[in-house]
Amino acid sequence: MTLWDSFWSHFSSSDIFWTAIWWLALCGVVAWLAHAKGQHRIAFFAIAFFFSPVVGLLAVMAARDLHSVTDAQEAREEFRQLLGPLMLQIDGIRGHLAVSSQPPKVTPAPAPSAAPPRKVAVTPPPSETTGPRTEPALVNGASPS
């Protein structure tokens, strides 16, 4: 006989059944109290179920009453302050994805005008053959060629 079997052999099946019923009932009371304070009842039921109804009851007693307006506003403000930098990063990522997923803007070609474009004659400047010819200056001691 293993240690596990020897432990459970001390309890009758009705004792185990009624203990489970009371455990679930007390977890339900904890969930009901959490709901009465405006908290999430499933979360507090899970706390009471996995840790114990006493721990769940202590957690409900420590939780704020979110039905009062000031407590709810304070809780929301604390949540925003806690997650503010993370939300800014998420918004930045969303903004980047929104910008990069848009197709590039194509500007339409200008409409052709009725008059053809004018041609401008370009004349070269007159060459200076009348004055003395100067050599280009040396740059950094190197010759220009």
Side-chain angles (χ1 to χ4, degrees):
M1 182 176 261
T2 65
L3 181 64
W4 183 259
D5 293 334
S6 66
F7 174 77
W8 288 107
S9 66
H10 295 297
F11 301 103
S12 67
S13 59
S14 66
D15 290 340
I16 295 171
F17 173 76
W18 286 110
T19 302
I21 293 296
W22 278 105
W23 189 272
L24 290 174
L26 291 173
C27 291
V29 168
V30 168
W32 177 74
L33 289 172
H35 179 67
K37 285 185 113 178
Q39 298 289 340
H40 201 273
R41 61 180 173 242
I42 295 173
F44 281 91
F45 181 87
I47 290 169
F49 182 78
F50 289 112
F51 295 108
S52 83
V54 174
V55 172
L57 184 63
L58 291 173
V60 168
M61 289 171 55
R64 290 183 181 170
D65 184 7
L66 294 182
H67 287 304
S68 99
V69 176
T70 57
D71 284 344
Q73 289 173 344
E74 287 176 10
R76 274 190 228 105
E77 191 60 34
E78 285 179 10
F79 183 74
R80 285 188 186 119
Q81 288 176 357
L82 179 69
L83 292 181
L86 178 64
M87 294 308 291
L88 288 175
Q89 289 177 354
I90 290 173
D91 287 342
I93 292 170
R94 284 184 189 159
H96 176 70
L97 293 176
V99 169
S100 64
S101 65
Q102 294 176 354
K105 293 183 180 181
V106 178
T107 57
S113 62
R118 292 190 297 168
K119 293 184 180 179
V120 179
V122 179
T123 57
S127 62
E128 296 182 21
T129 54
T130 58
R133 184 165 188 216
T134 58
E135 292 295 322
L138 296 178
V139 177
N140 291 335
S143 72
S145 49

